[in-house]
């Protein structure tokens, strides 16, 4: 009779030890890859304020391309590089582009729309932009009836007298809309609530390597019209631009809790996939 020598004989082999150093290296490499992607290719961005309404709402999540204008000191995640001039493989944004940027004297990110390029003379009269002495076209649109939610409460301080209801009786924020079209044909909607101290800006020539930026919610935006540190304090260097806003990934109405069951109901419908590039008139000439 043969004996199976491979049978379990109560072997006391020790379990294989975990290679903690190898595991740490793998996690570190993964984190470096994520940081490199966010710094060089694209990163998510969250809208925290009303300054870019009506196109962007508080609670919108979007994707910003980091390579659109080349790379500069502001490109790496967390802004770990010292401030320096110039860009690598740099190119200027186009008028109408929505960009993220870091102000001269701050480390936080803003999001605004490019209006003036180097050499342009920018002026505002009664809320209307004049580029190189020519009025930028503005057309009155029907009021926007924006559904009211926790992230868009239509507060009386920000939008006095704007609360109302739609045809179905749902609470909405009635916002006055103008369609603005820049000389290159870039077209987008803005909100103009009425006369404000930022409606008039004396002519300013944009220096070389700088751009002039405005928020689409013209009366509630700390942009190039507003002095620092509240606003951008005039044109900003192009190397302070961190990327171009491309599209909305999803949007939340502010009702999420720690309970995962609340997450699905908090998604705003119809916003995912919305492009943030301005419309372009086919016949427009620069």
């Amino acid at each position: 009779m043969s004996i199976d020598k491979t049978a379990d004989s109560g072997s006391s082999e020790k379990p294989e030890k975990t290679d903690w150093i190898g595991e740490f290296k793998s996690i570190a490499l993964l984190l470096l890859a994520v940081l490199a992607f966010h710094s060089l290719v694209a990163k998510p961005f969250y809208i925290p304020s009303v300054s870019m309404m009506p196109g962007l709402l508080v609670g919108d999540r979007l994707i910003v391309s980091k390579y659109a204008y080349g790379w500069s000191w502001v490109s790496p995640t967390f802004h770990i590089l010292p401030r320096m001039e110039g860009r690598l493989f740099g190119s200027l944004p186009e008028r109408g582009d929505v960009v993220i940027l870091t102000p001269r004297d701050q480390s936080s990110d803003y999001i605004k729309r490019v209006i003036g390029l180097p050499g342009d003379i920018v002026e505002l009269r009664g809320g209307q932009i004049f580029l190189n002495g020519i009025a930028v076209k503005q057309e009155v649109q029907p009021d926007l009836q924006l559904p009211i939610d926790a992230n868009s409460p239509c507060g009386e301080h920000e939008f006095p007298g704007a609360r109302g209801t739609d045809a179905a009786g749902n609470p909405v924020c009635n916002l006055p809309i103008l369609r603005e079209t820049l000389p290159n044909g870039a077209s987008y909607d803005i909100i103009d609530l009425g006369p404000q101290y930022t409606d008039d800006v004396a002519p300013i020539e944009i220096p070389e390597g700088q751009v002039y930026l405005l928020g689409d919610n013209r009366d509630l935006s700390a942009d190039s019209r507003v002095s620092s540190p509240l606003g951008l304090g005039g044109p900003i260097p192009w190397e302070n631009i961190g990327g171009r806003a491309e599209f909305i990934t999803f949007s939340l109405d502010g009702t999420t809790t720690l309970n995962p069951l609340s997450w699905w109901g908090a998604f705003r419908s119809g916003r995912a996939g919305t492009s943030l590039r301005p419309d372009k008139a086919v016949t427009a000439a620069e």
Side-chain angles (χ1 to χ4, degrees):
M1 183 177 84
S2 64
I3 300 176
D4 186 355
K5 295 182 179 181
T6 64
D8 185 6
S9 58
S11 174
S12 59
E13 292 183 7
K14 295 182 180 180
E16 184 178 349
K17 292 184 178 180
T18 301
D19 182 4
W20 291 110
I21 295 179
E23 293 292 333
F24 177 79
K25 288 181 178 179
S26 298
I27 294 173
L29 287 173
L30 177 61
L31 290 176
L32 286 174
V34 171
L35 290 174
F37 186 85
H38 281 187
S39 299
L40 302 176
V41 183
K43 79 167 196 173
F45 191 81
Y46 167 75
I47 300 300
S49 75
V50 300
S51 69
M52 285 299 290
M53 291 175 65
L56 286 168
L57 307 178
V58 175
D60 283 350
R61 269 70 169 179
L62 53 108
I63 291 295
V64 173
S65 60
K66 304 301 290 289
Y67 55 84
Y69 313 120
W71 297 274
S72 71
W73 70 268
V74 80
S75 298
T77 302
F78 308 126
H79 305 326
I80 58 176
L81 295 179
R83 296 179 183 240
M84 61 186 79
E85 295 184 358
R87 302 189 75 95
L88 181 64
F89 304 116
S91 62
L92 280 168
E94 296 183 15
R95 293 190 189 94
D97 283 358
V98 177
V99 302
I100 61 167
L101 64 125
T102 303
R104 297 174 184 269
D105 55 356
Q106 299 182 44
S107 59
S108 56
D109 289 330
Y110 282 41
I111 183 164
K112 304 296 176 189
R113 190 179 297 276
V114 176
I115 300 297
L117 298 177
D120 284 342
I121 297 177
V122 179
E123 179 184 4
L124 275 90
R125 304 178 201 164
Q128 185 168 34
I129 301 169
F130 285 75
L131 273 177
N132 303 315
I134 301 174
V136 168
K137 183 179 179 181
Q138 289 182 338
E139 299 174 287
V140 177
Q141 303 294 302
D143 283 359
L144 171 66
Q145 291 190 320
L146 181 70
I148 292 176
D149 58 35
N151 272 338
S152 296
C154 196
E156 188 66 20
H157 175 70
E158 295 176 327
F159 303 106
R163 277 180 167 263
T165 55
D166 60 16
N170 300 309
V172 294
C173 196
N174 295 301
L175 301 173
I177 301 297
L178 295 175
R179 187 72 171 174
E180 196 166 73
T181 303
L182 296 173
N184 64 341
S187 183
Y188 47 87
D189 289 340
I190 66 170
I191 296 174
D192 189 354
L193 298 173
Q196 302 287 338
Y197 80 98
T198 52
D199 284 351
D200 295 284
V201 177
I204 176 174
E205 183 172 356
I206 311 305
E208 185 67 27
Q210 298 188 25
V211 295
Y212 197 89
L213 303 119
L214 296 178
D216 290 348
N217 192 355
R218 290 293 158 80
D219 300 324
L220 293 170
S221 176
D223 46 41
S224 289
R225 300 168 298 171
V226 181
S227 59
S228 178
L230 295 178
L232 300 181
I236 68 145
W238 73 320
E239 55 262 23
N240 288 38
I241 295 176
R244 182 177 63 205
E246 299 293 352
F247 61 90
I248 296 171
T249 51
F250 63 94
S251 184
L252 298 174
D253 64 11
T255 60
T256 54
T257 67
L258 294 178
N259 182 358
L261 297 178
S262 71
W263 299 351
W264 181 256
F267 282 98
R268 290 180 175 131
S269 63
R271 296 196 64 75
T274 301
S275 173
L276 299 175
R277 305 297 300 278
D279 295 334
K280 283 291 189 76
V282 176
T283 58
E286 184 67 40

